[in-house]
Amino acid sequence: MENMMPRIEVLLKEAIGKALKDLFELDVNPQTIALQPTRKDYEGDFTLVVFPFVKQARKSPEETARLIGEHVQENLSEVNGFNVIKGFLNFSFTDSYWVSFLLQGAKDPDYGVTPAGKKEDVVIEFSSPNTNKPLHLGHIRNNLLGYSVAMILEAAGHKTVKVNLVNDRGIHICKSMLAWIKWGNGETPEKSGKKGDKLVGDYYVKFEAELKKEAQALKEAHNYDDDMARNDAPLMQEARTLLRKWEARDTQTVEVWKVMNNWVYKGFDSTYQRMGVNFEKIYYESDTYLLGREIVLEGLEKDVFYKKEDGSVWVDLSDEGLDHKLLLRADGTSVYMTQDIGTAQLRYDDYNIPRMVYVVGNEQNYHFEVLKKVFKKLGKPYADQLFHLSYGMVELPAGKMKSREGTVVDADELMEAMHVTAKETTEKLGKVDGFSEDEKETLFETIGMGALKYFILKVDPKKNMLFNPEESIDFNGNTGPFIQYTHARIRSILRKAEERKIYADELDITKVNLSKKEKDLLKTLYQFPEIIDQAAAAMSPAQIANYTYELAKEFNQFYHDYSVLNEPDKDASRFRLNLSVLTARVIKTAMGLLGINVPDRM
RNA sequence: GGCCUCGUAGUUCAAUGGAUAGAAUAGAAGUUUCCUAAACUUUAGAUACAGGUUCGAUUCCUGUCGAGGCUACCA
């Protein structure tokens, strides 16, 4: 990037700024001038909307645009024409500008990527599983988002630290422990052949089922409502007792806890690996909640928080439009908020990075509002830089996933199903003749995962999304495999070019005439660096996904209309080869930012 | 009840306040002696409703209706 020529919009904005000054004595900061790529149905490369200036110019929109256009064309040699439609001023650049841009891009193996360290460091937390049940579709969205956002931030010049915070303690963990102690008969993953996280999850389900029975009995006997019945049920009381024993470091309890959590971690590891995510550091709530408690108690001493008669500790946020919020229970045990306070501090101590991004579902918006205000009250340096990357729920055609109703989509099963579908479809199309068994399996996995990841990441993170299994395994249209296929086709051209000894770098730049389609493709490639910056600013992999789809579509149209290797004009052929090289690279880089691999053949 | 999101083709998704609201899929009709047809081309179809702000509103404001989330000594 360093030795790239300046982005043309920058020059254009400066020229426009100068025109406004010279023509209308308008002082406008060139940075604030809004340019947009010209829409495809009009002629031109970049468009300036002149309406904001017509009042000052005291001219009609058309006249204003024409004057600016003439001034800019005289002063900027890359501009070779413009047209005006209503208040829209469309600039065109010379072919030689576009071609020389292409040549530079094609030579840059990191085209579009800014070296890490140019912008501030970021800690990004995602995944954050509970150790009482296996990962499901909701976690998949979380993990894919977190991992992708981290890579996008890196590509935009940030250094990132990916961290996971495992919720390995608390009442929910005690539930599965209690069920295993009561009804497990010493079952282990080895004995039963179950994956560790699945086994523990089964006991969590068992607990809930038994609790429901007890609660039902209580309701009938004492006319309790649902909450009362659940709370008063003997099982619930036992679970709370177990939590107190755990916090008191009771040897036997801690032993069971360790054993069961290790089963879960082993299970999670294989799920993470298949999903393709990883972390620089894993924090455990069991290691951070005590620090959190300390900080809460310190805050209590400084009168930032207050204590109720029953001994529970609270923060009063009513003067900031929020509520009173519990930080420590009356029995001294910690809540979710407590450990989040501790984790943030520990992380800051470890990395000294105040910018923290939390990838957590939008049902916790309120929690993070409170957390931020608590940090502020405590005067923490990271209070103002906390960012909650709040993503929407994943819904199924049948409605919301409910673990108690068994409608959750298991992460492992889903990934396996994607692999199987990829295999069936690929074999049916006869695409893998001549592949070795290993190559086949790798390809099926690449396609299956590509379909799944793209399907989830193409949706704006903020929005709720519908996961329709039938559509997620579709490989046509706006899908991961469509883009992968486009890449494979290009790689095929590049292989053949080498065989036929056609070399991209032998292009004579003066002999190229751009067709509309070629120029459209080139302009799309040109946008890539900006797309990365925008996606990073918005923390939205969806922007990368939509762009990449656009690019692939653009290439397929070009591919359909023009031949690269069978083109008799050598320079046209070499030019198109350059286009192909850069397109393949951008697709690969962009898909990489989504955590998706692209095959060379499929 | 209070607070916060969100309502775009049949369906799933796009659209920094800008031009004729884009795609995909499902539907209809086509393209392969030519670098991979998981492709390409043509066709039909949408801003929940009512006001307001302005040169211009899917986007901002108000209200109505509809969907979801939060409002736990759960996480």
Side-chain angles (χ1 to χ4, degrees):
Chain A
M1 285 294 286
E2 238 79 15
N3 49 11
M4 287 285 287
M5 46 202 185
R7 300 283 294 173
I8 194 68
E9 311 92 293
V10 178
L11 299 178
L12 184 55
K13 283 179 187 178
E14 278 165 9
I16 292 168
K18 189 160 184 313
L20 291 171
K21 175 79 179 151
D22 291 352
L23 295 167
F24 314 122
E25 291 178 359
L26 264 170
D27 277 306
V28 180
N29 178 358
Q31 302 302 320
T32 63
I33 294 173
L35 285 175
Q36 45 196 298
T38 302
R39 294 180 53 150
K40 283 221 194 97
D41 0 324
Y42 298 91
E43 194 182 325
D45 300 331
F46 282 95
T47 296
L48 175 74
V49 182
V50 301
F51 291 113
F53 312 119
V54 295
K55 208 174 250 178
Q56 291 274 358
R58 297 165 174 276
K59 300 249 185 325
S60 71
E62 288 84 352
E63 181 70 358
T64 308
R66 193 180 58 78
L67 289 170
I68 297 172
E70 282 171 359
H71 191 284
V72 168
Q73 189 174 356
E74 270 168 38
N75 288 284
L76 194 59
S77 60
E78 285 88 348
V79 171
N80 71 343
F82 67 91
N83 65 79
V84 176
I85 299 170
K86 290 188 274 184
F88 298 88
L89 171 55
N90 304 315
F91 293 101
S92 299
F93 296 110
T94 58
D95 282 4
S96 68
Y97 170 77
W98 287 115
V99 176
S100 55
F101 149 73
L102 173 64
L103 283 181
Q104 293 233 19
K107 282 181 198 144
D108 181 357
D110 296 317
Y111 171 66
V113 174
T114 304
K118 295 238 161 183
K119 298 194 188 139
E120 79 269 25
D121 298 351
V122 178
V123 174
I124 178 164
E125 174 192 302
F126 61 98
S127 201
S128 317
N130 296 339
T131 57
N132 63 337
K133 45 187 180 213
L135 303 178
H136 58 67
L137 183 52
H139 294 109
I140 290 186
R141 190 177 195 189
N142 181 303
N143 281 285
L144 297 182
L145 265 179
Y147 187 73
S148 177
V149 166
M151 278 185 301
I152 292 167
L153 290 174
E154 292 259 341
H158 298 270
K159 228 163 67 191
T160 65
V161 181
K162 301 190 291 292
V163 304
N164 190 356
L165 171 64
V166 178
N167 292 288
D168 62 344
R169 59 158 291 282
I171 191 71
H172 52 298
I173 308 299
C174 291
K175 290 176 182 176
S176 46
M177 282 166 60
L178 185 63
W180 183 84
I181 291 167
K182 283 176 112 63
W183 302 296
N185 295 319
E187 183 181 8
T188 67
E190 291 76 27
K191 281 188 207 166
S192 61
K194 275 187 208 162
K195 200 160 162 275
D197 51 333
K198 299 280 192 309
L199 186 151
V200 172
D202 288 348
Y203 283 98
Y204 184 73
V205 170
K206 171 82 173 161
F207 176 93
E208 287 295 336
E210 294 296 329
L211 177 64
K212 199 170 178 181
K213 278 190 224 162
E214 286 190 0
Q216 189 59 35
L218 277 177
K219 262 172 82 175
E220 281 160 17
H222 299 93
N223 207 17
Y224 282 179
D225 67 26
D226 284 340
D227 280 356
M228 271 166 81
R230 274 179 68 87
N231 270 322
D232 269 22
L235 266 178
M236 200 61 199
Q237 294 182 18
E238 276 186 82
R240 277 194 290 264
T241 304
L242 199 60
L243 179 61
R244 278 192 296 274
K245 279 167 88 175
W246 183 89
E247 289 212 11
R249 292 265 177 275
D250 173 67
T251 324
Q252 233 180 332
T253 308
V254 168
E255 192 52 38
V256 173
W257 172 76
K258 273 188 186 160
V259 168
M260 290 182 75
N261 272 347
N262 280 325
W263 293 342
V264 173
Y265 297 146
K266 225 172 154 189
F268 282 176
D269 281 348
S270 77
T271 307
Y272 283 142
Q273 199 183 357
R274 187 163 193 184
M275 229 176 329
V277 306
N278 53 61
F279 306 92
E280 270 76 54
K281 172 111 183 174
I282 298 180
Y283 288 94
Y284 297 92
E285 188 184 323
S286 56
D287 292 332
T288 66
Y289 79 103
L290 287 174
L291 176 58
R293 184 151 69 184
E294 263 175 53
I295 296 172
V296 170
L297 293 176
E298 273 171 37
L300 188 60
E301 270 174 40
K302 292 182 196 154
D303 284 331
V304 175
F305 308 133
Y306 71 94
K307 193 179 234 175
K308 277 192 182 170
E309 291 147 22
D310 63 5
S312 54
V313 179
W314 295 72
V315 59
D316 177 6
L317 296 169
S318 53
D319 51 347
E320 305 190 48
L322 299 181
D323 222 336
H324 293 243
K325 193 79 190 172
L326 178 86
L327 299 177
L328 277 178
R329 292 193 189 101
D331 65 3
T333 57
S334 302
V335 290
Y336 185 47
M337 189 73 65
T338 323
Q339 65 81 23
D340 253 356
I341 293 169
T343 311
Q345 184 61 44
L346 195 58
R347 216 148 47 195
Y348 187 65
D349 293 343
D350 284 348
Y351 293 104
N352 195 31
I353 297 175
R355 176 93 168 130
M356 293 188 195
V357 174
Y358 293 80
V359 183
V360 179
N362 63 11
E363 74 271 19
Q364 292 191 34
N365 285 355
Y366 184 69
H367 170 81
F368 279 97
E369 261 184 78
V370 172
L371 188 64
K372 191 166 180 162
K373 293 202 153 69
V374 167
F375 287 155
K376 206 145 195 175
K377 278 189 181 288
L378 289 166
K380 296 296 183 188
Y382 39 83
D384 290 320
Q385 299 200 57
L386 179 160
F387 182 79
H388 174 203
L389 178 48
S390 162
Y391 63 89
M393 324 234 81
V394 183
E395 279 159 28
L396 299 172
K400 231 201 128 183
M401 286 192 289
K402 294 215 170 80
S403 45
R404 283 185 195 155
E405 290 169 23
T407 55
V408 290
V409 174
D410 179 79
D412 296 320
E413 285 172 19
L414 179 58
M415 290 192 283
E416 184 54 26
M418 296 306 296
H419 180 105
V420 169
T421 306
K423 182 183 160 90
E424 287 166 359
T425 309
T426 305
E427 283 175 344
K428 200 167 70 193
L429 289 172
K431 293 279 187 181
V432 281
D433 305 337
F435 278 58
S436 73
E437 284 307 308
D438 276 0
E439 284 171 339
K440 281 186 196 172
E441 283 306 305
T442 305
L443 181 65
F444 302 151
E445 185 73 4
T446 301
I447 295 173
M449 287 295 121
L452 177 61
K453 290 179 179 182
Y454 187 87
F455 187 83
I456 288 174
L457 289 175
K458 76 174 175 186
V459 182
D460 183 342
K462 289 195 292 287
K463 295 192 177 171
N464 288 358
M465 67 169 290
L466 183 87
F467 185 85
N468 186 330
E470 308 221 332
E471 282 174 26
S472 73
I473 55 174
D474 201 339
F475 295 164
N476 302 321
N478 188 357
T479 66
F482 168 86
I483 297 167
Q484 291 173 319
Y485 175 66
T486 306
H487 180 264
R489 280 175 133 187
I490 302 176
R491 296 301 305 180
S492 173
I493 293 176
L494 301 186
R495 280 193 300 273
K496 293 203 164 79
E498 211 155 308
E499 286 168 17
R500 301 188 196 178
K501 305 205 184 310
I502 301 172
Y503 300 110
D505 53 9
E506 289 177 354
L507 172 65
D508 181 346
I509 187 169
T510 62
K511 294 198 178 150
V512 179
N513 288 308
L514 288 177
S515 69
K516 167 108 170 80
K517 194 100 271 170
E518 290 168 326
K519 198 171 173 186
D520 283 346
L521 178 55
L522 201 36
K523 285 194 281 187
T524 306
L525 289 165
Y526 179 83
Q527 291 172 8
F528 186 46
E530 209 131 299
I531 296 291
I532 291 183
D533 285 345
Q534 286 166 11
M539 297 202 205
S540 170
Q543 295 186 11
I544 300 285
N546 288 324
Y547 165 79
T548 313
Y549 172 62
E550 190 63 36
L551 177 63
K553 212 167 42 156
E554 201 80 64
F555 185 87
N556 278 322
Q557 290 165 2
F558 159 77
Y559 180 96
H560 181 264
D561 292 350
Y562 298 94
S563 183
V564 177
L565 303 176
N566 300 328
E567 166 62 48
D569 179 331
K570 289 280 182 262
D571 282 300
S573 177
R574 288 171 190 140
F575 166 74
R576 289 174 196 162
L577 196 54
N578 274 292
L579 262 183
S580 305
V581 167
L582 189 56
T583 304
R585 185 175 309 138
V586 169
I587 287 178
K588 190 180 178 119
T589 303
M591 291 293 264
L593 296 179
L594 304 177
I596 300 173
N597 290 326
V598 286
D600 286 348
R601 291 191 295 155
M602 72 182 270

